[in-house]
Amino acid sequence: MSAEILINVTPRETRVALVEQGMLQELHLERSLRRGVVGNLYKGRVQRVMPGMQAAFVDVGLDRAAFLHASDIVRVPQGAPVEGEEQGPPPPPPAITALAHEGQEVVVQVVKDPIGSKGARLTTQVSIPSRYLVLLPYSKVIGVSARIEDDAERARLKALVTDLANGSGMGFIVRTNAEGLGREALEADVAYLRLAWQLIREASAATPVGQCIYEDLSLPLRALRDLVSPQIDRVLVDSRETHERLLRFAGQFMPELAPRIEHYAGERPLFDLNGVDDEIARALQKQVPLKSGGYLVLDQTEAMTTVDVNTGSFLGQRNLEETAFRTNLEAAQALARQLRLRNLGGIIIIDFIDMHDADHRRQVLRTLEKALARDHAKTTVYDFSPLGLVEMTRKRTTESLERQLCEPCAACNGRGVVKSPETVTYEVFRECTRAVRQFEAERLLVIAAPAVVDRITEEESAAVAELEEFLGKSIRFQADEQYGQEQYDVVLL
């Protein structure tokens, strides 16, 4: 599969696009004035302990206090589970009052950026990633990424890392990129992570409360560390300075990758090469067309994302069941891409077109799960509900693409609709009546949006005459382009 990573760098914003088979699959953004904080370590102070929530709010120097749940607080280092031994469910965490108290200083790591009105999510179970491994300094577990499916390879990597970690008292997770690697590469990663943890421990002792102890890599370097795989043919970057930084980073940690990192010096903007900017614009629209003529409608709300699948202009050639099945198969593949591209997370409800054939339902679910397998975020898909809906979850650590690039509409305040000119007209009439009864005035001036004033003067002129006679006052209307459709003022003269 042909794939490449495009890195577009400007003074205030860096964008990274993952393109597979000429199609944009993922987009990552980092702005200098608003960098994400996932992975950063802070020295914080507990502000409030909330027994009813089994959580504490911690001041780490961000705009809002961050959230630390009892289950995310390290207690006793865990030993590695014995192969084949029956593992019971983990015991519930002790009461938060036994784990934290107000004024307590604590070293925490951010696992989820502030999203909407919610503060960052924290943990004291620190993890430090490198190219091939993740260090778990407060654990003894040696784990292997579930994306490495070959049992023999999993066993080999686990044995190798267990040997390398011997005596350290720390745990490691083997990342997908480590598949097929020899001892030397993993040994270098272990040495790097041990040194990094030693420096973090020294820094944490000297860092004041509310300050960052350790900051994750910048977006271009994270892209090399997390997104590059053997399937990536090349990494194109349009900044010479960033290109040199990437080469230095690759030379130190992944020398085999250096030949694939290229500086793009073309006159045409880098993101124009594969229509990336056009794809980003389409990813901000609610409706996603399908090749068959059907379409998806995605609605992102505070609680969840809903997806509606429609046949549109696709009529099929056999019967309604076959039409629904073919549209749903195509929709499942398109949806998996949209979830990655739009970075949608949390609860996702999919309303596929009704299918009565149980085998068709199973095939649609398998298609969706297979298409989601390439997603870097953890996903869980459940069976069709009695109402014919599919519920799934996708792990969310940062804001969605829409919420990173957009803000609520000033006209509708994010509702997606505005009151019609007719509705506002009748509100104006009621407000005129209320104002005359409450205050003394010789005449009234109504200032409103042009669409509202046009409707009043053209379609409601008879109603205005009746209102003037009823109130005993003359009413003048003035259109103002600065007014939104729902805005108006009734001025007493």
Side-chain angles (χ1 to χ4, degrees):
M1 179 179 65
S2 172
E4 59 186 2
I5 292 173
L6 310 179
I7 303 177
N8 167 233
V9 181
T10 58
R12 293 290 185 177
E13 181 183 60
T14 299
R15 302 185 298 172
V16 172
L18 173 60
V19 178
E20 296 175 355
Q21 303 286 18
M23 293 187 66
L24 177 64
Q25 300 293 333
E26 293 182 24
L27 180 73
H28 302 269
L29 301 172
E30 185 172 86
R31 289 171 174 169
S32 58
L33 298 180
R34 196 177 59 187
R35 281 192 65 181
V37 293
V38 170
N40 291 0
L41 269 68
Y42 293 87
K43 179 179 280 189
R45 178 177 284 118
V46 177
Q47 282 186 329
R48 283 182 296 160
V49 176
M50 311 291 286
M53 299 173 64
Q54 268 288 75
F57 287 98
V58 182
D59 177 17
V60 294
L62 301 176
D63 293 339
R64 292 189 295 273
F67 182 84
L68 177 63
H69 193 268
S71 61
D72 292 319
I73 299 178
V74 169
R75 297 181 295 283
V76 180
Q78 301 290 310
V82 178
E83 291 287 345
E85 183 180 312
E86 182 113 10
Q87 299 295 318
I96 187 65
T97 50
L99 299 172
H101 58 82
E102 291 185 12
Q104 176 183 350
E105 293 185 5
V106 58
V107 174
V108 289
Q109 186 170 36
V110 178
V111 293
K112 185 182 290 187
D113 274 328
I115 296 176
S117 60
K118 299 176 182 178
R121 179 77 182 255
L122 304 175
T123 182
T124 64
Q125 302 176 28
V126 174
S127 61
I128 308 297
S130 67
R131 171 65 172 157
Y132 304 116
L133 302 170
V134 177
L135 171 67
L136 307 174
Y138 297 128
S139 174
K140 295 181 181 178
V141 170
I142 305 296
V144 180
S145 168
R147 294 181 184 276
I148 300 177
E149 298 179 353
D150 184 82
D151 290 339
E153 178 65 2
R154 291 176 63 84
R156 182 189 74 85
L157 288 169
K158 186 169 184 176
L160 184 53
V161 175
T162 299
D163 182 51
L164 292 173
N166 184 35
S168 69
M170 297 186 290
F172 293 89
I173 295 174
V174 181
R175 305 184 69 177
T176 309
N177 289 338
E179 188 169 9
L181 289 180
R183 182 185 183 92
E184 186 176 340
L186 294 176
E187 192 171 23
D189 250 26
V190 169
Y192 162 76
L193 288 171
R194 284 179 173 172
L195 176 60
W197 179 238
Q198 179 184 336
L199 295 175
I200 289 170
R201 293 184 64 183
E202 293 172 359
S204 65
T207 301
V209 171
Q211 297 293 315
C212 183
I213 299 170
Y214 162 85
E215 189 171 23
D216 202 2
L217 299 173
S218 64
L219 178 58
L221 300 184
R222 289 203 311 274
L224 282 196
R225 184 189 70 194
D226 299 335
L227 298 181
V228 174
S229 65
Q231 289 73 40
I232 300 295
D233 299 320
R234 61 177 180 172
V235 178
L236 278 180
V237 55
D238 60 7
S239 162
R240 190 172 297 280
E241 180 183 353
T242 304
H243 175 247
E244 292 172 357
R245 283 172 50 211
L246 293 177
L247 287 178
R248 288 196 298 271
F249 183 82
Q252 184 175 1
F253 296 108
M254 49 190 85
E256 78 287 352
L257 179 61
R260 285 185 273 166
I261 302 174
E262 303 175 18
H263 175 240
Y264 176 74
E267 293 185 3
R268 188 180 176 190
L270 178 60
F271 271 30
D272 277 1
L273 292 182
N274 289 286
V276 172
D277 279 324
D278 293 335
E279 284 290 337
I280 294 171
R282 283 192 283 270
L284 298 177
Q285 298 174 1
K286 289 176 58 173
Q287 192 163 306
V288 180
L290 303 176
K291 291 181 179 179
S292 64
Y295 60 92
L296 310 178
V297 179
L298 293 92
D299 275 306
Q300 184 181 358
T301 69
E302 190 70 24
M304 67 183 72
T305 296
T306 61
V307 183
D308 187 28
V309 182
N310 296 279
T311 55
S313 61
F314 179 52
L315 302 177
Q317 295 181 350
R318 292 189 181 180
N319 52 49
L320 182 59
E321 174 73 18
E322 189 69 19
T323 300
F325 175 53
R326 296 298 174 191
T327 305
N328 286 338
L329 283 178
E330 186 183 3
Q333 294 177 319
L335 175 59
R337 173 175 175 258
Q338 291 297 322
L339 295 181
R340 289 175 69 188
L341 177 55
R342 298 171 186 239
N343 194 27
L344 295 170
I347 299 171
I348 299 162
I349 307 294
I350 310 164
D351 184 10
F352 284 110
I353 304 167
D354 289 341
M355 296 176 294
H356 301 293
D357 189 314
D359 185 55
H360 284 172
R361 290 187 174 201
R362 283 193 295 270
Q363 288 188 55
V364 168
L365 277 182
R366 282 201 298 268
T367 299
L368 178 60
E369 290 167 345
K370 184 178 179 181
L372 289 169
R374 300 205 309 272
D375 197 338
H376 293 93
K378 180 182 178 182
T379 58
T380 305
V381 180
Y382 298 92
D383 203 350
F384 279 87
S385 74
L387 293 177
L389 304 175
V390 172
E391 301 173 6
M392 64 168 288
T393 61
R394 183 175 185 270
K395 187 175 181 182
R396 174 171 57 188
T397 57
T398 59
E399 291 273 24
S400 68
L401 181 65
E402 177 185 287
R403 291 182 176 168
Q404 289 185 71
L405 296 180
C406 305
E407 63 181 19
C409 169
C412 70
N413 293 318
R415 301 198 315 270
V417 294
V418 293
K419 293 176 183 176
S420 67
E422 181 181 22
T423 300
V424 179
T425 293
Y426 300 142
E427 285 187 6
V428 167
F429 290 170
R430 289 193 296 272
E431 179 63 20
C432 288
T433 302
R434 187 196 66 79
V436 168
R437 287 175 176 173
Q438 191 170 355
F439 303 103
E440 290 292 332
E442 293 182 6
R443 59 188 185 278
L444 302 178
L445 170 64
V446 175
I447 307 172
V452 175
V453 172
D454 288 346
R455 177 181 172 80
I456 292 174
T457 56
E458 293 173 9
E459 300 181 37
E460 302 287 351
S461 55
V464 173
E466 291 175 6
L467 182 62
E468 288 179 325
E469 183 177 354
F470 174 73
L471 298 177
K473 312 289 182 185
S474 66
I475 307 173
R476 186 164 62 89
F477 297 91
Q478 178 179 316
D480 192 322
E481 295 282 355
Q482 302 300 317
Y483 277 60
Q485 188 157 294
E486 295 185 359
Q487 294 178 298
Y488 60 85
D489 285 309
V490 176
V491 182
L492 304 174
L493 301 174

